[in-house]
Amino acid sequence: MTVLARTEADTHYTVTLAEPDDFVFWREAARGLVQCAVPPERVGWVEPGGSGDLFATALAPENGALPAPPADAPDVRASKRFLTVARGAALHSDPQRFALLYRLLWRLQDNPRLMEDKSDGDVRYAEDLSKSVRRDSHKMHAFVRFREVEEDDGGTRYVAWFEPDHHILRANAGFFKRRFANMRWSILTPRSCIHWDGERMTQSPPASRKDAPDGDPTEELWRSYYASIFNPARLKVGAMMSEMPKKYWKNMPEAQLIPEMIAAAQSREAQMVDAGAIDHAPQPATLEALRCAIGTCSHCPISALGGEAVAGEGPRGAPLMILGEQPGDQEDVAGRPFVGPAGQLLDEYLIQAGIERERAYVTNAVKHFKFAQRGKRRIHQTPNAKEIDSCRWWVEAERAIVKPKLILALGASAARSVLGKTVSVTAARGAPIALPDGSELWVTVHPSYLLRLDGDARAEQAKLFAQDLSEVAKRIAMLG
Amino acid sequence: MDSLSTLEKLEILADAAKYDASCASSGTAKKNSLGGKGIGSTEGMGICHAYAPDGRCISLLKILLTNHCIFDCHYCVNRKSSNVRRARFSPWEVADLTISFYRRNYIEGLFLSSGIVKSSNHTMEQMVEAARILREEHDFRGYIHLKTIPEADPELVYQAGLYADRVSINVELPTDSGLSRLAPDKNARQIEGAMGKVKSDIVEAKDAKKRFKNAPRFAPAGQSTQMIVGADAATDADIVGKASRLYDGFRLRRVYYSAFSPIPDASAVLPLKRPPLIREHRLYQSDWLMRFYGYRANEVIQATEKDGNLPLDIDPKLAWALKFREQFPLDVNRAPREQLLRVPGLGVTAVNRIIAARRHRSLRLDDVGKLTVSIAKVRPFICATDWRPTALTDRADLRNLLAPRQEQLELFAA
């Protein structure tokens, strides 16, 4: 109580800070006041530009005439956590912050573990201040946008205009120095400005937006990056707004695109879906429904050539599915698969191998005839991977209904339709390939390949083809 | 192809990279450019320099070196059989673009991925070259994330780790059967083999760093991976199980989930519908439960419903608590930390606060309310000095009381 006796009971002190972010000055002043046992109600804190302390005007002694702490005053105690929180909270724009921190410091002398009590009002208030300063600093690291300008000596300087909520500029100068140590840069704000020339940091009075450069050619690249990296199929505007509130947008070159991007997102997504969609209808459940549905397919460009879709034929539950490439000229006219020259050749070999075509389901990987018109003739064109993949949806529907135990793919297009990737027929033939649904795939050449060969080559290939078919016949007999 | 301008190439190659979820720049070694000739810093915490309207953070310049690809993976917009415009950057172009963005404080660094041109080795070489130019020619000290190609020579993958902060290899799909169906050119065993190699390289480099000051750094931000959700039939239980095996087996920093998005020029084997964003969100929540809340994978799987998927209307922690009600209520004044972490509505921060505050006094319900976001969700599962939930914990309709309103969800739940 000796300390109290030395300060007058009703004296009201006012401390004026030279800079609004001067934590070190506050700490020294507050330490002295605690040592003199001046309770929080009798201290006012004034920052430059602030309105001062209403109670202090008449009673305060001259500024700078704070009482000198007595020599035997006890040390002032403050926990580590308090110092961390106070360093942050001191930068907040709340005019009450210094009074709050002093009150906490005062209370800490009696209760050194006060900061651990997060349900205490003062503690929570200070933590909140410190948290919003931390957030503001973090947003400054993130959202400062430099623009390149040429200086008089021919060098370049990177200049940014930023509007922080709190007095965080000086406290964050180090971050930019460590990052851009070899660049000349300036950050202009309405509170103050800092400049780095590669060696020294300097400070200058507040600036306005007009002092900052108004563009940079690289911004066009950046904006196009921003627009391209956005996935319109997953619009989550709320998530963006909470992390990048609108108040920052005006100083970010990319943000002007946002309203347009949001507005266009739904139609872009619909386009993305349409561009790849067959239709979203569930796969047909019967072969009859499938036949009807195939007739209306216009998913790939082949359907626009004017041919009719050719559905497969054969019984539901057939143990063998024979998959060709696509209908040819005669198949397109007849509306049935494998009735042209290649089909007739296939029939011969099937009979030879002892496979009854009527008991198999015969179809094609691609349902329309792809051709190029040469005068009156329609010349066969091989379907490309994209077309085979589009049509795969139909083949899968057929497989789901027929449930064959064995699929015989004639040629590389048919194999792709089943496997989803292109395989070499020569490498894949002669052995079964297990499929995920439990069935198996056998790959061989397309009979039209034999039609294109002559002499010895044809004889050799015919032998291999016959051999493949007889293997398949044996396998089917085994599978029952 | 060279007639494309940088702007056009950037558009094509950024557009092609947008299906990769990761953009993290955190958790690497501290670096700065003080006293050097270079530029850049990393200070541990990642920085999101912008957010796109899809809610994703833009921290890195995320581009492909090229979107030409010899592979034919069905879920990928860049697959060989897709009809997209193709473009290609040179390693120098990538490095220059990274530096000019970095100088303006747009980004934390580079995330470079690529389609496969010519061969896996050739592509990997080009990617490593871009990273080398950044590190050696520009003395760049910011963040680099390289996607590595599992089929490439291990020596090249090792090089990538020396330049990059983080390397990643995508497992792509949660099940091997999904992978062989949708990514026929990829091989699950090869992917895991490459991840195993990266893991042992990281461990070795860390160990060397402890003993020799000048030992080279190898991927100080570790390795991560990505799985696509909703392109195949895998259930949440499959996915969580797979993620847990990856975390344990390869010490991954992160497993990213990416809801399968409809892609332009999609393959016909894929579902074409809105990406299952809520499902992705629930998977990330379950990921958090495993990483920060001490749940084991089989416990998360216990929270799934009969179809093997996590409920979409409530979060997995609440789902777990509702299934195991006999473990509640917990006394906030006595229960150990690891049990409090299981109370729905209490996060790690709230639990830490409760533990700090209860050293000073016995907590009443009101005190707990001040330490958490919402007391309504917490109440049925805790006791405080003035509060017992009595019958509330066991009420049959508790789920309905706690679940958010349904109508809001339906739009996205598909």
Side-chain angles (χ1 to χ4, degrees), chain A residues 117 145 179 182 225 416, chain B residues 38 49 62 72 108 361:
Chain A
D117 186 1
R145 296 282 183 265
R179 173 157 291 201
N182 298 301
Y225 173 70
R416 183 183 173 93
Chain B
H49 283 272
K62 183 162 59 177
D72 207 4
E108 285 294 287
R361 65 176 106 132

Side-chain angles (χ1 to χ4, degrees), chain B residues 287-355:
Chain B
D287 193 58
W288 248 247
L289 292 185
M290 292 196 284
R291 289 165 62 214
F292 303 116
Y293 289 78
Y295 286 73
R296 289 191 303 276
N298 58 352
E299 290 177 309
V300 174
I301 293 171
Q302 286 168 345
T304 57
E305 294 182 328
K306 281 189 207 80
D307 61 357
N309 287 328
L310 293 166
L312 293 174
D313 59 337
I314 55 173
D315 65 80
K317 195 174 166 190
L318 178 58
W320 189 87
L322 289 173
K323 272 201 178 169
F324 296 93
R325 295 189 198 190
E326 69 279 4
Q327 312 225 3
F328 300 97
L330 290 169
D331 185 342
V332 287
N333 288 305
R334 287 162 189 279
R337 187 167 189 279
E338 58 275 18
Q339 284 191 16
L340 281 179
L341 283 172
R342 304 213 162 199
V343 174
L346 290 186
V348 177
T349 319
V351 168
N352 289 343
R353 284 179 182 165
I354 287 173
I355 287 171

Side-chain angles (χ1 to χ4, degrees), chain A residues 69-89:
Chain A
D72 59 346
D75 279 344
V76 175
R77 295 185 301 183
S79 63
K80 213 170 176 182
R81 179 70 196 159
F82 172 76
L83 283 174
T84 313
V85 170
R87 255 194 207 103

Side-chain angles (χ1 to χ4, degrees), chain B residues 267-279:
Chain B
S267 164
V269 267
L270 286 169
L272 274 159
K273 52 187 178 190
R274 249 174 189 286
L277 295 184
I278 289 284
R279 186 172 172 206

Side-chain angles (χ1 to χ4, degrees), chain A residues 7-230:
Chain A
T7 52
E8 292 168 52
D10 56 351
T11 313
H12 203 104
Y13 296 97
T14 299
V15 185
T16 304
L17 290 99
E19 298 278 354
D21 59 351
D22 199 344
F23 174 73
V24 176
F25 178 85
W26 175 86
R27 191 178 59 190
E28 292 312 313
R31 178 187 288 149
L33 287 163
V34 170
Q35 284 185 324
C36 296
V38 180
E41 342 35 291
R42 289 203 283 117
V43 188
W45 300 88
V46 180
E47 57 183 306
S51 57
D53 182 3
L54 290 177
F55 303 103
T57 42
L59 299 166
E62 284 296 301
N63 197 28
L66 293 178
D72 59 346
D75 279 344
V76 175
R77 295 185 301 183
S79 63
K80 213 170 176 182
R81 179 70 196 159
F82 172 76
L83 283 174
T84 313
V85 170
R87 255 194 207 103
L91 306 180
H92 202 277
S93 52
D94 186 330
Q96 298 303 317
R97 65 191 181 280
F98 291 116
L100 168 75
L101 293 178
Y102 185 67
R103 195 159 62 241
L104 272 174
L105 183 65
W106 178 263
R107 292 178 57 202
L108 271 170
Q109 306 312 305
D110 292 331
N111 177 6
R113 304 184 70 177
L114 174 64
M115 294 306 287
E116 290 167 23
D117 186 1
K118 306 288 189 234
S119 55
D120 180 272
D122 283 345
V123 174
R124 282 212 331 161
Y125 193 5
E127 293 265 5
D128 287 349
L129 294 187
S130 156
K131 192 174 162 191
S132 53
V133 166
R134 225 171 29 241
R135 185 178 157 91
D136 200 32
S137 301
H138 191 70
K139 295 300 175 199
M140 177 174 174
H141 298 170
F143 299 152
V144 157
R145 296 282 183 265
F146 287 113
R147 285 170 166 165
E148 192 180 36
V149 286
E150 200 167 314
E151 296 215 291
D152 299 337
D153 64 359
T156 46
R157 177 174 283 275
Y158 292 84
V159 183
W161 167 251
F162 190 69
E163 296 168 55
D165 288 340
H166 307 296
H167 306 282
I168 57 168
L169 181 64
R170 293 201 302 174
N172 287 293
F175 170 83
F176 290 95
K177 187 173 95 177
R178 288 190 294 278
R179 173 157 291 201
F180 302 115
N182 298 301
M183 260 162 51
R184 292 183 206 172
W185 52 263
S186 301
I187 300 175
L188 316 182
T189 84
R191 297 177 195 272
S192 151
C193 306
I194 48 173
H195 311 273
W196 172 256
D197 66 358
E199 282 165 12
R200 268 173 353 105
M201 187 83 72
T202 49
Q203 204 177 334
S204 70
S208 76
R209 187 196 301 272
K210 290 195 296 293
D211 301 322
D214 55 4
D216 184 317
T218 305
E219 285 177 2
E220 195 194 342
L221 281 173
W222 172 240
R223 272 196 292 269
S224 92
Y225 173 70
Y226 182 75
S228 306
I229 203 70
F230 158 60

